[in-house]
Amino acid sequence: MPPLWLVLIVLALGVVGYVLGRQKAMTSADGDSRHLHSLPVYYGTNVSLFVVLPALLVMVCWLIVQPILINNSVAGQIPASAIPDSGTLGLVMSDVRRVADGLDLAVSQGAMTGAEAGALQAGATDVRQLLADVGVALGSDVTETTLSAAQSFRSKSATGNLVMTVVVLALAVAGFVYSYGRTNKDFRARNVVEKVIRGILILAASIAILTTVGIVLSLVFNTIEFFKLYPAADFFFGTTWSPSFGGGSELGVLPLLWGTLYISVIALAVAVPIGLFAAIYLSEYAGPKARGIAKPLIEVLAGIPTIVYGLFALLTVGPLLVNTFGDGGALGVDWMSGASSVTTAGLVMGIMLIPFVSSLSDDIINAVPQAMRDGSFGLGATKSETVKQVVLPAALPGIVGAILLAASRAIGETMIVVLGAGAAARLSMNPLEAMTTVTAKIVSQLTGDADFASPEALVAFALGMTLFVMTLGLNVLALYIVRKYREQYE
Amino acid sequence: MYDNPNLERKVAQQDTKISARNVQVFYGDTHAIKDVNIEIPSRTVTAFIGPSGCGKSTFLRCLNRMNDTIDICRVEGDIDLDGENIYDKRVDPVQLRAKVGMVFQKPNPFPKSIYDNIAYGPRIHGLAKNKADLDEIVEKALRRGAIWNEVKDRLHAPGTGLSGGQQQRLCIARAVATEPEVLLMDEPCSALDPIATSQVEELIDELRDQYSVVIVTHSMQQAARVSQKTAFFHLGNLVEYGDTGQIFTNPQDSRTESYITGRIG
């Protein structure tokens, strides 16, 4: 039975369970819901939760585990001699799955019966032609080993699916019997439902955490793989970045890190003063009308996709800078040759970060109690004195947190850099020169036909790990600062 | 008419510090203060009493133009400080507030050290020539606030780490440090326990020989204990104003009598 049907049947059982559970509870209370421990809706929900949840959970796990198990057992059947020298077991297995899928398709289209598919002989029938007729193209003729493996794959999947259907339906029914049996007017259905809901919430939270762990693990293994092929010292302390897929590449991270930090510093130098001053204006000086208009307008900046900022850098800011600092420009100097430069990307990234800084700082400044301001005004301080000496110090930890968050955004930013800063990895102090960042290089190392066994592709994971550690460090620092100084005012 | 020579002498001593004429306050469309006339003498503690929402805090905040910080608030009429109208266009509210200090209901020390809390006002107004001068001002203010002995060993500890009563005395010391002429106190003891309250009350009594103190309070016992003059507000009107003893023993208005005997409010 296809999984979708199974899900629908289980859900239908759940609905039936709801109705029956509610009914039984009402009957046991002689039709008067005041005699029940919980509201009738809880009795229904309780039964349907017990029907649906265990069955669907088991089904999801089964669907994940079954292919892995079958894959392994079929792979064990393939003799080492059947694997061609140039290929690997994985390639043969993908052939096997393809043939198996093709046979499934042939059966479902009526080209043959299930029994015929199981009895096919590679020598007797042209399997390749047969599958091509139903729309599955194979790269080569099907060998006897592949075909028999595919047949075994099919029969095992079919058995597995059948067992799964039975188990899932049995669980649904068992859940119904158990919870329906418990239902009577004194049963505390409300508390049980509460516990189940708590479980669902915990599950959601742990999925988010586990995903993070999964992402880190996938980075870690590939990074370790990379360091097996390329010395770590050369990676961390190398000052040249010149990957070449032919071999003999130099993969020093320093030029990339330098580019990342340089661009981020320029971006923050733009975003922090502007964002902070905007936040101070909005929270301390602006009237409710001005604030109501200006705040959403500033936050619109946060909604612009970064690729659009990239275009802005490429088409507007870059040429503008060249017209100013370039040959024959407004200043009459020749400092800048191309539109791509650290300054271009930094300026545009700074603009992108303004709403982060201003919006977070605005919230934090607003959270400073009015009593602080009153106290300062009451002593004869002006508005700017109050802001400078009372409000900002009180809000400082939060503002530092906001700035660090903006910094980790800047470090992780990619599109603006790709379009605005150029692709040349170099160590230079000149802000008008093209440079590149870690993120941009990750993109360029992994796009195109990369061989995932080569250090030139695997270096992307090491770069990703480096970035991850940097931004994680910044976030931890931000959290630490915010926590440490949070209770400065009451 | 028979002149009481005793009374004559008292009035001559006590020249008027603040005088308000026909003061009206509006919050948006709400008429919060209606036609208040009052003369507050110098070197006296004047208490404003009345039920919640009667406008006594609002009127207090008019006296140093703290209501300017509220957008929808509008003040009409004249309030004179030493004969000069504080609502005149030429008056800088910031400078006015340095002369008319304020202590709030909830202690609100800044998130700074005790020393910096006190030094805040003097620094803003440039009252100290040098560091030694500032140290002296801070010590004097803390002594005046009756808190010096408790904090002299930890002047650089955060002011927020003090107990509630200490914080309130710190705030009074902070207000005193700018050398104001009038000190406004908006229910200064409502967040304090009885012991801290009595300390603050003693302090108010001591402050009387240098400043005019105006105190808003919900506690009639407190008004009777610390003040020489009492004003009773009701529904935005100044119902009765006179010597504290007379208000509490022989009120002229029936509403005052009902309030102080606990029948309304």
Side-chain angles (χ1 to χ4, degrees):
Chain A
M1 195 181 304
L4 178 65
W5 276 103
L6 199 53
V7 171
L8 288 181
I9 290 173
V10 170
L11 289 180
L13 280 176
V15 173
V16 173
Y18 178 88
V19 174
L20 290 180
R22 193 176 188 280
Q23 232 165 39
K24 185 179 175 194
M26 286 303 277
T27 321
S28 76
D30 302 328
D32 187 346
S33 63
R34 281 175 300 177
H35 295 155
L36 290 171
H37 168 271
S38 318
L39 290 173
V41 66
Y42 282 111
Y43 291 95
T45 313
N46 171 44
V47 174
S48 69
L49 282 177
F50 271 86
V51 170
V52 172
L53 281 185
L56 288 190
L57 270 183
V58 165
M59 187 174 156
V60 167
C61 296
W62 195 295
L63 285 176
I64 294 171
V65 172
Q66 177 181 308
I68 299 174
L69 288 181
I70 292 181
N71 223 10
N72 286 345
S73 92
V74 172
Q77 287 177 4
I78 297 175
S81 60
I83 300 171
D85 294 338
S86 58
T88 60
L89 182 64
L91 289 175
V92 178
M93 277 311 295
S94 72
D95 264 358
V96 169
R97 279 196 300 273
R98 232 173 134 68
V99 173
D101 287 347
L103 290 177
D104 281 341
L105 203 62
V107 173
S108 71
Q109 287 185 358
M112 60 172 91
T113 65
E116 276 170 13
L120 277 181
Q121 296 286 318
T125 327
D126 186 357
V127 181
R128 190 178 177 189
Q129 182 57 42
L130 185 96
L131 295 186
D133 288 342
V134 296
V136 177
L138 293 178
S140 60
D141 283 331
V142 180
T143 63
E144 187 57 47
T145 345
T146 315
L147 183 63
S148 66
Q151 282 161 341
S152 134
F153 189 93
R154 282 195 68 221
S155 71
K156 280 181 177 160
S157 305
T159 326
N161 282 342
L162 185 69
V163 177
M164 178 186 77
T165 310
V166 172
V167 169
V168 167
L169 289 181
L171 261 180
V173 171
F176 174 77
V177 171
Y178 173 66
S179 57
Y180 186 75
R182 285 207 291 177
T183 304
N184 66 59
K185 72 179 171 56
D186 294 324
F187 175 58
R188 301 181 174 184
R190 196 174 172 214
N191 307 22
V192 175
V193 171
E194 187 65 36
K195 270 185 201 149
V196 172
I197 285 174
R198 194 180 65 179
I200 293 174
L201 297 181
I202 290 175
L203 189 72
S206 24
I207 284 176
I209 295 169
L210 287 178
T211 318
T212 316
V213 174
I215 291 174
V216 174
L217 283 183
S218 74
L219 278 180
V220 165
F221 287 123
N222 284 304
T223 306
I224 292 172
E225 203 65 27
F226 168 71
F227 284 131
K228 278 183 193 156
L229 297 171
Y230 194 86
D234 288 1
F235 173 71
F236 284 117
F237 303 111
T239 54
T240 314
W241 174 269
S242 60
S244 77
F245 279 98
S249 27
E250 287 186 76
L251 302 171
V253 76
L254 285 182
L256 304 185
L257 276 185
W258 171 247
T260 303
L261 292 180
Y262 205 167
I263 293 176
S264 304
V265 165
I266 293 180
L268 287 178
V270 173
V272 169
I274 297 181
L276 200 54
F277 289 168
I280 291 172
Y281 170 72
L282 284 180
S283 56
E284 298 292 321
Y285 289 86
K289 256 188 207 156
R291 185 185 156 85
I293 296 169
K295 198 169 154 99
L297 277 183
I298 291 178
E299 279 165 4
V300 163
L301 277 181
I304 299 176
T306 54
I307 184 76
V308 176
Y309 281 110
L311 292 177
F312 179 59
L314 186 68
L315 298 177
T316 313
V317 178
L320 208 70
L321 285 173
V322 171
N323 284 342
T324 315
F325 296 105
D327 191 14
L331 293 183
V333 290
D334 184 12
W335 290 346
M336 196 172 174
S337 48
S340 296
S341 76
V342 171
T343 315
T344 315
L347 284 180
V348 175
M349 204 189 279
I351 296 170
M352 179 194 82
L353 293 178
I354 288 172
F356 280 89
V357 178
S358 79
S359 187
L360 284 171
S361 308
D362 180 46
D363 291 345
I364 292 154
I365 290 173
N366 269 329
V368 174
Q370 184 61 30
M372 296 286 132
R373 300 186 183 90
D374 282 350
S376 177
F377 292 145
L379 290 170
T382 63
K383 231 166 191 175
S384 70
E385 285 166 347
T386 305
V387 168
K388 198 173 75 197
Q389 303 198 24
V390 175
V391 176
L392 282 188
L396 193 64
I399 291 173
V400 170
I403 291 171
L404 289 182
L405 276 183
S408 52
R409 278 281 312 213
I411 289 173
E413 176 49 43
T414 313
M415 280 336 286
I416 295 178
V417 176
V418 170
L419 294 181
R426 61 162 72 94
L427 273 168
S428 158
M429 287 300 290
N430 185 354
L432 297 173
E433 234 178 305
M435 277 185 216
T436 194
T437 65
V438 177
T439 49
K441 279 302 153 193
I442 292 179
V443 174
S444 66
Q445 289 314 99
L446 287 185
T447 41
D449 281 336
D451 172 6
F452 268 77
S454 71
E456 286 77 18
L458 283 172
V459 70
F461 296 98
L463 291 176
M465 197 68 207
T466 315
L467 263 193
F468 178 80
V469 170
M470 275 169 68
T471 48
L472 183 75
L474 271 182
N475 283 350
V476 169
L477 184 68
L479 274 182
Y480 170 78
I481 290 178
V482 170
R483 290 235 173 100
K484 177 157 187 206
Y485 298 103
R486 183 163 48 187
E487 295 184 333
Q488 273 210 327
Y489 51 82
E490 238 315 83
Chain B
M1 199 174 156
Y2 175 71
D3 274 342
N4 184 339
N6 237 347
L7 198 70
E8 190 82 309
R9 192 165 56 85
K10 216 172 163 187
V11 170
Q13 249 182 6
Q14 295 178 336
D15 39 338
T16 300
K17 189 72 188 171
I18 298 176
S19 87
R21 285 180 309 280
N22 306 327
V23 173
Q24 321 272 351
V25 179
F26 301 88
Y27 281 117
D29 294 332
T30 319
H31 198 170
I33 297 281
K34 296 162 193 158
D35 217 18
V36 167
N37 293 284
I38 193 168
E39 308 240 312
I40 295 170
S42 59
R43 296 177 203 278
T44 313
V45 177
T46 306
F48 289 177
I49 60 169
S52 290
C54 68
K56 53 195 188 305
S57 288
T58 302
F59 184 69
L60 187 78
R61 289 167 67 93
C62 290
L63 300 182
N64 68 344
R65 293 186 61 174
M66 275 302 275
N67 284 333
D68 288 15
T69 60
I70 300 168
D71 288 331
I72 56 165
C73 185
R74 194 155 51 83
V75 180
E76 287 173 9
D78 296 328
I79 299 177
D80 290 357
L81 176 71
D82 290 330
E84 276 181 65
N85 185 3
I86 62 171
Y87 278 88
D88 192 286
K89 277 200 186 67
R90 284 166 302 176
V91 171
D92 178 7
V94 170
Q95 275 181 338
L96 170 74
R97 289 184 204 129
K99 272 202 271 183
V100 185
M102 187 152 193
V103 175
F104 296 84
Q105 186 169 357
K106 227 180 112 198
N108 58 348
F110 301 134
K112 300 171 181 288
S113 70
I114 292 169
Y115 183 94
D116 286 337
N117 261 286
I118 304 295
Y120 183 78
R123 275 186 184 139
I124 284 177
H125 301 294
L127 299 183
K129 283 199 295 286
N130 49 42
K131 178 84 174 71
D133 214 11
L134 190 62
D135 288 349
E136 200 179 308
I137 291 176
V138 169
E139 181 179 340
K140 210 171 102 193
L142 285 170
R143 281 188 194 283
R144 191 86 53 77
I147 192 179
W148 170 252
N149 287 330
E150 289 156 69
V151 301
K152 65 181 174 204
D153 298 325
R154 45 172 177 151
L155 286 178
H156 295 283
T160 41
L162 298 171
S163 75
Q166 288 174 325
Q167 286 189 10
Q168 193 62 301
R169 279 179 284 148
L170 178 70
C171 292
I172 294 173
R174 186 176 71 184
V176 165
T178 51
E179 302 286 340
E181 296 165 18
V182 181
L183 205 52
L184 307 178
M185 296 185 165
D186 191 355
E187 297 178 46
C189 300
S190 65
L192 304 184
D193 69 20
I195 295 170
T197 300
S198 79
Q199 286 167 332
V200 171
E201 282 179 8
E202 267 174 45
L203 175 57
I204 292 170
D205 203 51
E206 285 163 23
L207 293 175
R208 178 160 62 100
D209 54 79
Q210 295 224 356
Y211 311 99
S212 303
V213 180
V214 184
I215 175 173
V216 164
T217 176
H218 268 133
S219 155
M220 277 168 291
Q221 289 87 343
Q222 185 173 58
R225 280 195 300 264
V226 301
S227 71
Q228 288 79 50
K229 290 277 211 174
T230 297
F232 171 63
F233 285 80
H234 188 240
L235 300 177
N237 295 302
L238 175 59
V239 174
E240 194 168 347
Y241 175 51
D243 289 341
T244 300
Q246 181 229 318
I247 293 270
F248 279 94
T249 53
N250 186 21
Q252 304 296 306
D253 195 286
S254 62
R255 285 172 292 180
T256 315
E257 192 185 357
S258 305
Y259 183 71
I260 60 174
T261 53
R263 276 203 292 274
I264 60 166

